[in-house]
Amino acid sequence: MKTLWLFIISASMMMFVYHWIFSTRNKSSKEFFEISVNISNSSIPFLWPPSSYMIGGMDRFEWYRKQMYLKERIIKLTTASNISTLKPKWLMTIEMIEHYKLQGVQHFYTHIHNASIYDLKVINDYVGTGELEIHYLLERDQRTDDHWQMVHIADCVVWSRFESRWTIFADLDERIHMSNYIGTIRRYVQSVENERVGSLKFRQQWVLKTEQMPEKYEGEDELTKWMPTHRYHNSTGIGPPGHTSKCIIDTSKVFIMGVHSVTQFFPEGNYIEAGVKPSDGLVRHYRDQSMGNWGDKWLRVVLKFGVLRDTDYPKSLIEKLTENVKRKAKYVYGVVD
C-alpha cells in the first residue's frame, strides 16, 4: 500500500477566469464547523475503508450514475473560440512546489492546458525527479477556461484516491501555510483524529499582485527580487468561513469536489467538513489584479473583510524557501550571460 503524501495543483499552467459560485444543493446533508487539533505523541494507524461494490444498498456504478445525472445539474458545455493569453509561470511553479515541499508534501499533480516551452523546462525537470506528474488537458478549444477547471478537479479526486490519506487542492498562486500552529501542514492533518472529517477548509487572505512575472531567469539577485513571497505584501483582511476557501480532503470520503468545498461525500460515513481557524492555518493568495479583470470585479468585495495592511510570508520558512528556489532555478536555467 502506497503511503504518499500527495499534493494536487488544481490549476493548469495558463490564465484562468474563476467565478464565485454559491450552490444550494445538498446543504442539509453537510455539517461545517471550525476546529483546532490536539497534538499527541501516540499514532493511530490508519486503515483504508474496506472495498465494496455496494453504496447505500445499490451497485456502486448505478449509484454514481444516479448522483451525476439525476441529482447534479449538468450545465451545457460552453465553447471557447480563443485560447487565453499565457503569462510566464516558471517562477510561480518553482516557488509553489518548493513551498509545499517544506510543508511535508511528497508528490504533486499538475494539469496543463497550455504552457510555454520555457515553463515546461522546469516542469519537466520536476517530472524527472519523480516529484511531479503531468496530466494534459486536450481538446483545448472545446471548453471555456473555468469549465476546464472542473475537469481537472474531478480528475485529481480520482487519481489521488487511495494514493494518499490527504490531498491538497490549491492553485498555482496560493500558498497554504500554518499560522500560530507550530508544525507543518503534514503534521497538522496527521493530528486530525475524528474519522468523520473528510475535508479541512482553510480561509483565504488575498495578497495583491500587480505585475506579471519575469519571462526568463536573469540571475539570483533578480530571482529574489521577483519571488512573490518577497515582492508582494499588501494584503486584505481574512475572508469569512466558507468564502472562497481551499481544502485539504480525504478523497476516499469525497465523491465530488468543487472549487472551494466538497460538493458531495460518499453517503455511508456521515462525513463532514471542518474549518481550520486562521490562527492555525491560512491561504496566502497572491492574486493577480489584471487576470480576468479580477481587480475590477472582486477587489471591492474582499476589501469589505478589513483594511489593507502589509503581511509577510512566514519568517521561519522564507530563508529556506529562497535557498531552494534559487538552487532549482539555477540548475534548470543555467548561468546567465
Side-chain angles (χ1 to χ4, degrees):
M1 177 64 66
K2 295 183 179 179
T3 56
L4 294 176
W5 163 250
L6 187 66
F7 172 71
I8 301 290
I9 312 167
S10 63
S12 61
M13 300 292 116
M14 64 167 294
M15 183 172 74
F16 273 109
V17 181
Y18 297 131
H19 297 283
W20 182 14
I21 302 174
F22 288 97
S23 174
T24 59
R25 291 168 287 161
N26 300 323
K27 289 295 183 182
S28 60
S29 63
K30 291 170 58 178
E31 294 181 33
F32 176 80
F33 59 93
E34 289 195 324
I35 65 168
S36 289
V37 302
N38 295 318
I39 304 301
S40 65
N41 294 324
S42 61
S43 178
I44 301 174
F46 174 75
L47 299 176
W48 292 112
S51 176
S52 172
Y53 289 98
M54 304 295 290
I55 298 179
M58 184 183 301
D59 177 80
R60 176 187 298 268
F61 294 102
E62 178 65 14
W63 186 86
Y64 289 170
R65 187 186 69 81
K66 287 185 178 294
Q67 298 303 312
M68 295 298 292
Y69 293 99
L70 298 181
K71 290 187 177 180
E72 293 299 310
R73 299 176 187 174
I74 305 299
I75 302 174
K76 184 178 179 181
L77 189 67
T78 303
T79 59
S81 58
N82 297 306
I83 299 299
S84 299
T85 304
L86 293 174
K87 292 180 176 183
K89 300 295 186 183
W90 64 273
L91 180 53
M92 293 288 285
T93 300
I94 297 173
E95 188 186 90
M96 182 272 300
I97 291 179
E98 297 301 329
H99 162 75
Y100 284 107
K101 285 168 64 176
L102 292 177
Q103 293 294 330
V105 175
Q106 294 173 320
H107 192 69
F108 299 77
Y109 286 144
T110 187
H111 288 71
I112 297 181
H113 186 195
N114 199 2
S116 70
I117 294 176
Y118 198 82
D119 292 345
L120 284 172
K121 191 172 182 180
V122 72
I123 292 169
N124 287 331
D125 185 78
Y126 280 115
V127 172
T129 64
E131 297 168 292
L132 177 64
E133 181 177 330
I134 297 176
H135 291 213
Y136 287 97
L137 301 175
L138 304 178
E139 301 180 73
R140 61 187 184 184
D141 290 331
Q142 301 305 309
R143 299 172 187 262
T144 55
D145 294 343
D146 56 320
H147 282 202
W148 269 122
Q149 186 183 18
M150 302 313 300
V151 172
H152 53 70
I153 289 176
D155 186 69
C156 286
V157 172
V158 174
W159 277 95
S160 62
R161 187 171 289 144
F162 301 120
E163 287 286 309
S164 173
R165 172 74 190 278
W166 295 97
T167 301
I168 300 174
F169 282 74
D171 299 331
L172 193 63
D173 55 1
E174 294 171 333
R175 311 285 181 265
I176 300 177
H177 68 90
M178 306 317 298
S179 304
N180 296 332
Y181 173 85
I182 300 176
T184 62
I185 294 175
R186 181 177 183 176
R187 186 185 178 200
Y188 185 86
V189 299
Q190 287 175 333
S191 303
V192 178
E193 297 180 351
N194 186 344
E195 288 298 327
R196 289 187 62 209
V197 174
S199 172
L200 296 168
K201 301 184 70 168
F202 288 75
R203 291 163 64 178
Q204 188 159 174
Q205 182 174 45
W206 293 262
V207 183
L208 304 184
K209 179 174 172 289
T210 57
E211 306 154 300
Q212 291 189 9
M213 293 286 95
E215 293 184 4
K216 294 185 177 181
Y217 174 72
E218 297 182 356
E220 291 188 357
D221 291 341
E222 284 295 304
L223 183 78
T224 304
K225 176 182 175 182
W226 279 97
M227 283 177 60
T229 48
H230 283 277
R231 191 170 185 86
Y232 302 109
H233 305 274
N234 191 24
S235 309
T236 69
I238 299 171
H243 182 283
T244 59
S245 55
K246 286 303 174 76
C247 301
I248 301 177
I249 70 171
D250 182 340
T251 50
S252 70
K253 301 172 182 175
V254 174
F255 177 55
I256 303 174
M257 182 64 194
V259 178
H260 300 297
S261 64
V262 173
T263 301
Q264 187 171 3
F265 286 109
F266 285 104
E268 295 179 342
N270 196 22
Y271 301 121
I272 55 177
E273 292 191 297
V276 176
K277 295 180 179 179
S279 57
D280 284 340
L282 197 63
V283 181
R284 189 169 176 82
H285 189 171
Y286 293 92
R287 194 59 170 88
D288 192 320
Q289 301 301 286
S290 62
M291 189 170 72
N293 296 318
W294 189 91
D296 293 334
K297 292 181 179 179
W298 299 111
L299 181 59
R300 64 180 179 274
V301 175
V302 301
L303 288 178
K304 296 178 181 179
F305 304 145
V307 297
L308 293 173
R309 69 270 201 186
D310 282 353
T311 64
D312 298 319
Y313 181 83
K315 291 181 173 58
S316 61
L317 298 175
I318 190 65
E319 184 176 345
K320 186 63 175 177
L321 175 68
T322 304
E323 176 187 336
N324 293 348
V325 171
K326 283 183 177 180
R327 182 186 300 113
K328 175 61 75 172
K330 187 174 182 179
Y331 176 80
V332 173
Y333 293 109
V335 178
V336 178
D337 295 334

